[in-house]
Amino acid sequence: MSQRDSGYERKERDLYETPEWVTEALSAHLPDDALMRVWEPAAGAGKMVDVFEKWGAGWFASDIEPLNVSVAQGDFFRWASPPHRSRSIITNPPYDLATEFCEHALRLMEPVNGLVAMLLRTDFDHAKSRAHLFRDCPAFSKKLVLMKRICWFVEADGKPKASPSFNHAWYIWDWKHSGPPTIGYGP
């Protein structure tokens, strides 16, 4: 079965700003210490960071090409250690680099027993080539399935330009986790 084409050109650098409700769905599924210092490495204009501020989380935001003055410029893959004593990485990675983002984030968070949360399509964990991130990764702790589809394209009045065509989930890895992963459901 092939996936439906949205009919829209892909945005440059896969810049799809995460709606507030999507980030909010994650809050009840994170341990308190994960919010002490969050790094958002694909921050764009900082929409996810706005939610972190509402949570009272400490945060650091970066992007290869920031769209906001509070977002530092930097290529995520050039970081050899987490900046500003970050204890978690929470992001909506560029789709074409999602596997690499997951792998690098896990490498960065392992030495600090940190947490990684990535917003990805719900079938991202199905590929054999990514078994090392899920089935074979002791840090994989939870898949949080969003029950509502994300609308990435909206008109000026806030109404969708088209019906959303993909399902998404938050994938959470926690280096303090033990036992099998769990599944949860969000809005």
Side-chain angles (χ1 to χ4, degrees):
M1 176 189 266
S2 64
Q3 294 188 14
R4 178 172 83 108
D5 182 9
S6 70
Y8 293 96
E9 294 279 328
R10 294 223 38 98
K11 291 188 175 187
E12 186 178 346
R13 292 181 6 266
D14 276 348
L15 179 62
Y16 295 89
E17 296 287 333
T18 307
E20 182 177 329
W21 73 267
V22 175
T23 307
E24 285 289 353
L26 186 59
S27 68
H29 301 272
L30 297 175
D32 291 336
D33 64 342
L35 300 178
M36 289 171 39
R37 197 70 176 155
V38 179
W39 177 17
E40 213 293 43
K47 281 189 160 192
M48 289 178 73
V49 169
D50 293 342
V51 176
F52 301 157
E53 282 188 349
K54 283 170 55 174
W55 293 347
W59 58 270
F60 175 76
S62 62
D63 198 291
I64 197 164
E65 197 173 307
L67 301 175
N68 183 322
V69 294
S70 65
V71 176
Q73 183 165 12
D75 182 346
F76 178 57
F77 299 110
R78 293 196 177 193
W79 295 89
S81 61
H84 301 277
R85 298 185 312 273
S86 299
R87 307 297 293 170
S88 60
I89 295 173
I90 300 174
T91 195
N92 172 7
Y95 180 73
D96 290 340
L97 296 171
T99 299
E100 293 86 350
F101 257 73
C102 293
E103 292 167 341
H104 190 60
L106 286 167
R107 276 192 300 276
L108 291 171
M109 289 292 107
E110 184 175 15
V112 298
N113 279 329
L115 179 136
V116 173
M118 297 277 176
L119 178 64
L120 304 161
R121 289 187 184 167
T122 55
D123 63 352
F124 191 78
D125 58 343
H126 294 198
K128 283 184 187 179
S129 62
R130 293 191 281 266
H132 66 290
L133 295 172
F134 301 102
R135 181 192 65 203
D136 303 336
C137 184
F140 181 52
S141 61
K142 188 170 211 169
K143 179 177 182 178
L144 174 61
V145 178
L146 300 177
M147 301 298 289
K148 204 165 88 171
R149 287 185 173 168
I150 301 169
C151 184
W152 301 108
F153 303 98
V154 294
E155 302 285 354
D157 63 2
K159 292 187 178 175
K161 286 186 178 184
S163 296
S165 56
F166 297 108
N167 297 305
H168 288 81
W170 281 105
Y171 291 87
I172 303 169
W173 294 264
D174 186 347
W175 284 106
K176 293 183 216 166
H177 171 78
S178 64
T182 60
I183 190 163
Y185 295 92

